[in-house]
Amino acid sequence: MSQLALVIDLNVCVGCHACVTSCKEWNTSGWAGSLADQHPYDADPTGTFFNRVQSFEVGQYPNTETVHFPKSCLHCEEPPCVPVCPTGASYKRPDNGVVLVDYDKCIGCKYCSWACPYGVRELDEMQKVMKKCTLCIDRITDETLPEAERKPACVLACPTSARLYGDVHDPDSEASEAIRERGGYQLMPEWGTKPANHYLPRRKTRMQIFDDELERVDNPLKKEAPLPAAKGETLDDVAY
Amino acid sequence: MHPAFSVIFLTTLIGAGQGLFMALVTGQVYSLANLLAPQDSQSFYAMGALITATLLAGGLVAAVFHLGKPSYFITRAWRGMSQWRTSWLSRELIALPMFMLLVLAYAAVHYLGWTQIWFTIKGQIPVDASLVIGMLGVLMSVILFVSTAMIYASLKFLQEWHTALTVANFFLFGLASGFMLAAAFSAWMGIELVSFFGGWAVVFTVLAAITRAFSMLRNARIKHKSTLASALGIRHTKITQRSMGFMGGSFNTREFFHGQGPVVLAMARWFFVLNVFVFPVILLAASNLLESASLPVLAFVVQYLGLLAERWYFFAEARHPQNLYYQTVG
Ligand code: SF4
Ligand code: SF4
Ligand code: SF4
């Protein structure tokens, strides 16, 4: 069984919100739409989004680091949001592990959002049903799209390739490889939800330069003293 | 969590209704055992069951307003009974209408006088339709109490709720207010059972005070498992949010924060502690001395108002781990 997921590289995310806007654009006009906004041009605009980018400051000034943190449904392998749904509207697809909501069954009771520790489900204020990241199910399963475009909208939009997409159950996928080789981890592992989405940590690129690399021990200009002056007959004198 | 008034009214109204029904059946069983004088079928049991049904109907109306759209009650809510294998909410949605049907059947049997004895157990206990339905109703009421409470107690990362004390509290608060209402009803009707029901109401109120005190103590010193470090997976003790990604609020900022300061919280706490546990007991004691017909009614009203505040506080004191992600607008 495959488990499709995103792998988000915090080391390269620059917090540009391109994934947020492309997600909204794709999904408000597609299968999962509409994602209505309320008073978008007034003082307190609000609306439904499947994906948010947050920013955190780690450390104390002056030793701080800004971490941009994209957050969407993690398509948990043990999703606590699914069994609590009274109507069966929330479900996990058995074939590819994507967690979805059937908008025609949902009664908007919000119980599933209480049962998600990550705060990624949002009640659509216009349709009054629960909505969340679909992993762009209508893109990734659309056989009419060319193979290279059968990816989530946010993945295609990311200018720094901070979002990888793939089957985390396939050990040879790009996603699995990244998790394995670059220290991929899950959010709030303490609840046993086994999120399918993983995050790649920030990594420091530090140059290791030792003194002897700046000044070579065997630097010929330094080491070698002037050539000794010739005494008596040399090889040059006899060669010709 | 944001306390929703629909759920506050739903849980307190059906809790009182369930408790009242259990009080009625208790009275009937006691009278079978000749411990209490038998009461009139029509004016006491049928009327009492109708009051129960009214409370349950009130709870149902409140529940309708908890749905995304009230129209979902007609078009979709039936689906809510389908996932009883996994969902406590689904179990509640089944138990509530079944309990209502049993209550109405109980009222009908008593009102129409279908209380011919079917058989007697050991030649002593006469069993009729009302007793069988009453017992089934009590059983269903217990199932409903457990289902309602487990909706909250089963969410393991809402650590304030994830305890057996939540179930005990819902159960005891329901019994206390239900027996209180039975005492008020008896006093109002001029029936001798005021001190019987009132006595049980005091017992349940005291027990509820004990379990609620334990849960408040537990919640005061609770250690949350999730931290910003585990939420982000960044190993640092000092992490500050600079932006939650938007400025105008979202479902996540509306649904999971109560938005009140510590003063309001403390006021709600004192209000419910006094009105649920202290004043009703004093009022009942006073009515016992004065033989007043209206003081037990006042005791019930006071306790019910206190229970509304208690339920509000119950939601407000639960802190959801998702709140870690929504700390700073920027
Ligand atoms: S992240 Fe939340 S909504 Fe998504 S599958 Fe996990 S528990 Fe469910
Ligand atoms: S809001 Fe909808 S999807 Fe969520 S638990 Fe209720 S019915 Fe299920
Ligand atoms: S996978 Fe699709 S729905 Fe999910 S965050 Fe990305 S664009 Fe949005």
Side-chain angles (χ1 to χ4, degrees):
Chain A
M1 197 193 83
S2 61
Q3 171 66 62
L4 301 177
L6 298 176
V7 176
I8 293 167
D9 191 348
L10 298 182
N11 200 42
V12 293
C13 175
V14 292
C16 71
H17 289 247
C19 54
V20 178
T21 49
S22 65
C23 169
K24 177 95 171 185
E25 187 276 334
W26 175 262
N27 285 296
T28 198
S29 35
W31 171 84
S34 63
L35 308 187
D37 290 325
Q38 284 76 43
H39 30 88
Y41 304 109
D42 291 339
D44 287 316
T46 181
T48 315
F49 283 76
F50 293 171
N51 183 22
R52 308 273 193 182
V53 176
Q54 309 187 316
S55 300
F56 295 87
E57 189 175 290
V58 180
Q60 181 100 43
Y61 180 82
N63 295 318
T64 57
E65 189 173 359
T66 304
V67 176
H68 300 293
F69 187 85
K71 184 163 83 76
S72 54
C73 167
L74 308 168
H75 299 282
C76 301
E77 300 201 38
E78 301 286 344
C81 55
V82 169
V84 301
C85 173
T87 61
S90 272
Y91 64 104
K92 186 171 176 70
R93 260 178 74 146
D95 56 339
N96 54 20
V98 177
V99 175
L100 293 168
V101 181
D102 184 337
Y103 303 150
D104 294 330
K105 287 186 184 165
C106 176
I107 53 174
C109 69
K110 308 177 195 164
Y111 192 32
C112 54
S113 71
W114 296 8
C116 167
Y118 306 103
V120 293
R121 292 179 161 249
E122 301 194 11
L123 188 90
D124 189 88
E125 289 297 337
M126 196 180 82
Q127 256 176 295
K128 297 288 186 191
V129 293
M130 196 52 73
K131 299 204 168 182
K132 59 179 274 303
C133 159
T134 65
L135 209 65
C136 289
I137 195 74
D138 49 347
R139 284 192 74 93
I140 59 178
T141 56
D142 186 351
E143 307 264 310
T144 63
L145 287 174
E147 177 94 49
E149 282 176 33
R150 250 176 264 161
K151 286 184 175 176
C154 56
V155 172
L156 295 174
C158 180
T160 61
S161 301
R163 303 173 79 92
L164 310 176
Y165 158 76
D167 179 1
V168 291
H169 280 184
D170 170 7
D172 298 323
S173 70
E174 187 194 12
S176 291
E177 208 164 84
I179 296 169
R180 193 167 58 237
E181 293 174 0
R182 292 196 260 155
Y185 64 88
Q186 297 166 318
L187 304 184
M188 292 190 194
E190 59 269 24
W191 302 119
T193 55
K194 292 212 216 148
N197 282 12
H198 282 67
Y199 285 76
L200 303 181
R202 295 294 290 256
R203 280 168 302 159
K204 282 277 185 289
T205 313
R206 286 207 179 82
M207 263 204 278
Q208 295 275 5
I209 303 174
F210 299 102
D211 285 349
D212 61 345
E213 286 170 327
L214 294 176
E215 288 180 36
R216 277 171 57 187
V217 242
D218 54 349
N219 187 338
L221 292 175
K222 264 199 143 166
K223 263 277 169 293
E224 289 171 22
L227 292 174
K231 289 182 197 119
E233 203 172 79
T234 67
L235 190 60
D236 291 339
D237 297 328
V238 294
Y240 299 100
Chain B
M1 302 290 294
H2 174 74
F5 274 96
S6 51
V7 184
I8 292 176
F9 279 110
L10 166 71
T11 55
T12 50
L13 284 172
I14 66 173
Q18 287 161 263
L20 174 59
F21 186 77
M22 289 168 102
L24 294 177
V25 178
T26 311
Q28 186 176 352
V29 170
Y30 268 63
S31 70
L32 282 182
N34 288 324
L35 295 170
L36 287 178
Q39 296 303 324
D40 182 60
S41 265
Q42 289 195 355
S43 67
F44 185 74
Y45 292 118
M47 266 303 286
L50 276 184
I51 296 177
T52 304
T54 314
L55 290 171
L56 297 177
L60 204 62
V61 170
V64 168
F65 286 98
H66 187 65
L67 301 177
K69 294 177 188 169
S71 67
Y72 289 166
F73 182 69
I74 295 161
T75 54
R76 299 180 177 189
W78 57 272
R79 283 186 199 278
M81 300 183 184
S82 65
Q83 303 301 308
W84 52 271
R85 284 183 205 80
T86 59
S87 169
W88 283 105
L89 178 51
S90 187
R91 289 170 199 160
E92 186 194 38
L93 292 178
I94 296 171
L96 179 55
M98 282 179 63
F99 180 58
M100 289 183 85
L101 283 182
L102 286 167
V103 170
L104 289 176
Y106 185 82
V109 162
H110 271 298
Y111 186 78
L112 301 172
W114 292 344
T115 46
Q116 298 83 2
I117 294 166
W118 286 352
F119 56 90
T120 53
I121 297 173
K122 292 187 185 158
Q124 294 204 341
I125 308 166
V127 176
D128 63 5
S130 71
L131 187 66
V132 172
I133 295 174
M135 284 307 185
L136 287 176
V138 168
L139 182 69
M140 193 50 74
S141 167
V142 173
I143 294 175
L144 183 52
F145 269 128
V146 173
S147 305
T148 307
M150 281 305 287
I151 290 175
Y152 308 100
S154 66
L155 298 174
K156 62 180 167 187
F157 39 78
L158 274 159
Q159 287 171 266
E160 286 85 351
W161 293 349
H162 186 56
T163 156
L165 288 171
T166 301
V167 183
N169 287 337
F170 271 69
F171 194 59
L172 291 171
F173 280 132
L175 285 180
S177 58
F179 275 77
M180 196 71 77
L181 181 54
F185 175 54
S186 311
W188 194 252
M189 304 288 284
I191 296 168
E192 302 276 274
L193 296 179
V194 184
S195 51
F196 170 71
F197 289 131
W200 278 112
V202 171
V203 168
F204 290 130
T205 303
V206 170
L207 288 177
I210 294 170
T211 56
R212 191 65 173 109
F214 272 119
S215 76
M216 281 200 284
L217 277 178
R218 176 182 176 276
N219 292 349
R221 59 180 64 171
I222 209 158
K223 199 166 175 295
H224 285 102
K225 283 192 191 164
S226 288
T227 59
L228 209 40
S230 79
L232 304 180
I234 296 173
R235 199 173 181 80
H236 205 293
T237 47
K238 176 128 178 44
I239 305 177
T240 334
Q241 187 169 48
R242 289 295 171 217
S243 156
M244 60 170 82
F246 49 87
M247 301 177 84
S250 74
F251 173 73
N252 306 79
T253 61
R254 293 187 289 267
E255 179 71 9
F256 298 92
F257 294 87
H258 54 79
Q260 302 296 336
V263 179
V264 178
L265 230 57
M267 269 162 48
R269 186 168 55 234
W270 279 108
F271 183 85
F272 91 70
V273 166
L274 292 174
N275 284 281
V276 174
F277 304 124
V278 181
F279 294 153
V281 175
I282 296 175
L283 285 169
L284 274 190
S287 93
N288 211 15
L289 292 177
L290 305 174
E291 304 203 342
S292 148
S294 50
L295 278 185
V297 179
L298 187 63
F300 169 73
V301 171
V302 165
Q303 188 171 52
Y304 183 75
L305 290 178
L307 281 178
L308 291 178
E310 191 280 332
R311 223 29 65 84
W312 185 92
Y313 188 80
F314 170 76
F315 283 100
E317 78 178 336
R319 275 161 293 169
H320 199 290
Q322 78 108 39
N323 293 6
L324 292 168
Y325 295 108
Y326 299 92
Q327 297 291 334
T328 315
V329 176

